């Protein structure tokens, strides 16, 4: 009778590779944003966006200078060289709140950056919210990171406005 030899185990190398990949992925984790949307001002009144209140905190410390930079970036992105502008009868405000927290992961200093955009009218009625978060080596202190995160969130807001505006004008044509 032949003795069956057990197969060599490759579990340890596979687990090592999986652990390494999961650490690499978690150290640069990012989250896609989301949010909610309430009914916008009714047709045929189109709306446009303006910046509202902007607050930035880095490790629980308010940062007025960074808030000022984000205001300029947001205003520039919202005007969009004319391509996103609509003749507006109503102006909605986008309040932007940015929070960054630093933490140690193994021996590396990482940051989690959360940007939250609240869309409201001048009376405080909330129409929507979009957010984005990133975890990695990037910092909101960097103007490049400020522009990148603002672009991501504001692009979704502007796309939503274009889609809603298109639907409202199509609905108006169908009513005639």
């Amino acid at each position: 009778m032949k003795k069956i030899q057990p197969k060599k185990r490759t579990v340890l190398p596979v687990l090592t590779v999986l652990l390494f990949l999961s650490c690499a992925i978690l150290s640069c984790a990012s989250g896609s944003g989301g949010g909610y949307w309430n009914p916008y001002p009714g047709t045929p009144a189109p709306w446009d966006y303006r910046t509202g209140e902007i607050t930035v905190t880095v490790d629980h410390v308010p940062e007025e200078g960074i808030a000022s930079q984000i205001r300029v970036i947001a205003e520039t992105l919202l005007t969009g060289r004319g391509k996103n502008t609509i003749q507006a009868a109503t102006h909605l405000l986008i309040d932007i709140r940015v929070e960054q927290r630093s933490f140690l992961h193994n021996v590396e200093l990482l940051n989690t950056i959360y940007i939250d955009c609240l869309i409201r009218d001048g009376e405080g009625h909330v129409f929507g919210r979009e957010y984005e978060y990133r975890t990695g080596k990037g910092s909101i202190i960097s103007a490049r990171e400020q522009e990148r995160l603002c672009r991501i969130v504001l692009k979704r807001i502007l796309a939503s406005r274009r889609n809603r505006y298109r639907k409202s004008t199509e609905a108006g044509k169908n009513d005639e």
Side-chain angles (χ1 to χ4, degrees):
M1 204 175 232
K2 278 187 171 179
K3 198 172 191 182
I4 299 175
Q5 295 288 332
K7 292 185 179 182
K8 292 183 180 179
R9 303 270 181 200
T10 58
V11 173
L12 187 57
V14 171
L15 284 176
T16 304
V17 169
L18 288 175
L19 181 63
F20 175 76
L21 288 175
S22 66
C23 287
I25 290 171
L26 288 176
S27 68
C28 297
S30 62
S32 73
Y36 64 88
W37 295 96
N38 291 328
Y40 270 79
T43 57
W47 62 94
D48 200 4
Y49 295 119
R50 300 283 185 260
T51 56
E53 297 176 23
I54 298 178
T55 59
V56 177
T57 58
V58 176
D59 293 324
H60 305 286
V61 177
E63 293 286 343
E64 298 291 326
I66 297 172
S68 176
Q69 288 175 304
I70 288 177
R71 177 177 301 283
V72 171
I73 292 168
E75 288 171 350
T76 304
L77 292 172
L78 290 173
T79 57
R81 287 179 260 164
K83 69 178 182 180
N84 291 322
T85 57
I86 296 172
Q87 295 297 340
T90 304
H91 296 286
L92 298 180
L93 300 171
I94 301 176
D95 294 336
I96 301 172
R97 181 175 54 104
V98 180
E99 294 186 23
Q100 175 176 300
R101 302 287 186 270
S102 301
F103 62 96
L104 283 173
H105 179 70
N106 296 332
V107 294
E108 200 170 33
L109 183 65
L110 298 176
N111 298 311
T112 295
I113 304 170
Y114 176 76
I115 182 169
D116 174 48
C117 294
L118 179 77
I119 297 97
R120 64 179 174 86
D121 64 10
E123 298 171 1
H125 298 104
V126 175
F127 291 100
R129 169 171 263 143
E130 285 286 338
Y131 66 89
E132 184 76 17
Y133 65 92
R134 298 280 184 213
T135 300
K137 293 181 182 180
S139 173
I140 201 65
I141 295 171
S142 162
R144 178 178 287 176
E145 192 71 13
Q146 294 167 16
E147 194 272 339
R148 188 174 70 80
L149 288 173
C150 285
R151 182 176 299 277
I152 289 169
V153 177
L154 294 177
K155 184 178 179 182
R156 284 198 306 259
I157 291 171
L158 293 172
S160 176
R161 180 191 64 183
R162 279 192 306 272
N163 291 339
R164 290 169 184 271
Y165 183 71
R166 188 177 321 128
K167 287 178 185 177
S168 69
T169 56
E170 288 172 1
K173 289 178 184 176
N174 292 337
D175 290 342
E176 293 176 355

